Amino acid sequence: MIQTIYFAIRELKLGFRNPWAYSFMGLFALFMLCLLLINAQGYVQGYSGITGTTLNLVLYLLPLMSLLLGSFSLTAEKEDGSWELLSTYPISTWSFMLGKYLGLAVVLLVIVFVGFGAAGLLGLAAGSGFGLQTYVQLLSFSASIALFFLAIALLIGTLAKNRWQALTIGVAIWFFAIIGWPPLLISVLGFMPYPVIKPAVTLLTFVNPAELSRLFTVVKLGGGAILGPEYYGWIKWIKQPAGSIGFAFTAVLWIGCVITAAQFIWERRRSRA
């Protein structure tokens, strides 16, 4: 536990010394302010065009930020030789990996809160911000996206030998999960027998954290009807009081499995070195 806290604090210091973190923070805050200006044209409640635009902006920006920051943090340990020095001490790989995740999670959440905080304060001062429920839901969506893709970033950083490999794999996963997912899903489901489609959609939704978080947020904001009556019938559980608990449990399980996989691979390579 002490080792985990040490690595988390170390990662926190390194994260806030990283100029990339401030670049991403400025970029995210700028786009949130732009959305605020668009939203200032009319007060918004529930799911609307502007909330859909915000969801898309977060989906384009935050996963890529998380993937790059997280994977570069691990590959930098390999390239700079820091891990070779650390591995001479009696530290566990699990403490190292979990500390990395916790430290980077704080850095990413600060980026998200600064972006939303600036937009929220200006919106409150101008009297044209998002409704409170919409604001909290969008903030929760952004935080969940950052935490999901940070876990994937650690797995990428474990597999990649250097920053260039991490960049290539990270961009490929980002494109696959965010840009290519809808056409890929439609093309694959088109060849499946009708009785298999619903279980396949259910499984694939849980495979892609971006899609799972997006559906959860859309339904919570009251926009689930746009998904179609049959699909909406499947995801109505999200609107129930236990829906948020179920999503949180799924997120913790999903992130835990990915970090465990990264820890396992890192430990195997450490034992062979």
Side-chain angles (χ1 to χ4, degrees):
M1 187 64 184
I2 295 176
Q3 291 180 353
T4 302
I5 295 173
Y6 166 76
F7 282 117
I9 295 174
R10 176 177 175 267
E11 197 58 38
L12 201 58
K13 291 178 180 176
L14 291 175
F16 283 116
R17 289 176 189 165
N18 188 348
W20 281 55
Y22 294 100
S23 302
F24 285 139
M25 186 186 294
L27 186 63
F28 192 67
L30 175 65
F31 277 110
M32 289 307 299
L33 290 174
C34 290
L35 287 173
L36 175 69
L37 293 176
I38 297 172
N39 184 58
Q41 299 173 21
Y43 192 74
V44 178
Q45 284 283 359
Y47 189 76
S48 66
I50 191 66
T51 49
T53 304
T54 307
L55 286 178
N56 288 332
L57 168 68
V58 171
L59 279 175
Y60 287 140
L61 199 55
L62 263 182
L64 191 58
M65 289 166 50
S66 305
L67 290 172
L68 295 184
L69 284 176
S71 60
F72 282 11
S73 175
L74 277 179
T75 51
E77 299 279 2
K78 301 176 186 175
E79 290 182 293
D80 300 341
S82 304
W83 172 246
E84 293 181 2
L85 175 63
L86 289 171
S87 59
T88 60
Y89 292 95
I91 57 175
S92 70
T93 305
W94 179 253
S95 298
F96 173 72
M97 201 62 70
L98 187 59
K100 279 272 181 188
Y101 181 83
L102 294 176
L104 286 167
V106 173
V107 174
L108 283 169
L109 290 178
V110 168
I111 292 174
V112 170
F113 276 80
V114 167
F116 269 88
L121 289 175
L122 286 176
L124 187 63
S128 57
F130 290 107
L132 179 61
Q133 183 182 356
T134 305
Y135 184 82
V136 172
Q137 196 62 53
L138 290 174
L139 184 59
S140 303
F141 168 72
S142 303
S144 67
I145 284 291
L147 296 178
F148 269 124
F149 279 86
L150 178 58
I152 300 174
L154 293 188
L155 186 58
I156 294 172
T158 301
L159 296 171
K161 295 180 180 177
N162 50 50
R163 290 182 179 90
W164 282 110
Q165 279 192 3
L167 176 65
T168 304
I169 300 172
V171 171
I173 289 178
W174 171 81
F175 185 84
F176 174 78
I178 307 299
I179 305 293
W181 186 259
L184 185 66
L185 194 66
I186 294 171
S187 61
V188 170
L189 293 178
F191 290 98
M192 292 184 176
Y194 183 77
V196 183
I197 290 179
K198 188 173 179 180
V201 170
T202 305
L203 176 64
L204 291 173
T205 300
F206 281 97
V207 167
N208 187 348
E211 186 67 8
L212 179 62
S213 301
R214 188 182 71 85
L215 285 178
F216 177 79
T217 305
V218 168
V219 173
K220 280 292 185 183
L221 291 175
I226 65 172
L227 303 171
E230 189 166 347
Y231 196 65
Y232 185 52
W234 170 66
I235 57 175
K236 275 199 296 190
W237 62 272
I238 294 175
K239 298 194 72 172
Q240 305 300 321
S244 298
I245 299 174
F247 177 77
F249 176 77
T250 304
V252 171
L253 183 64
W254 203 100
I255 292 170
C257 290
V258 176
I259 295 177
T260 302
Q263 184 271 338
F264 179 75
I265 297 171
W266 191 280
E267 179 63 27
R268 279 180 61 87
R269 292 185 175 180
R270 180 185 182 182
S271 60
R272 292 177 179 177

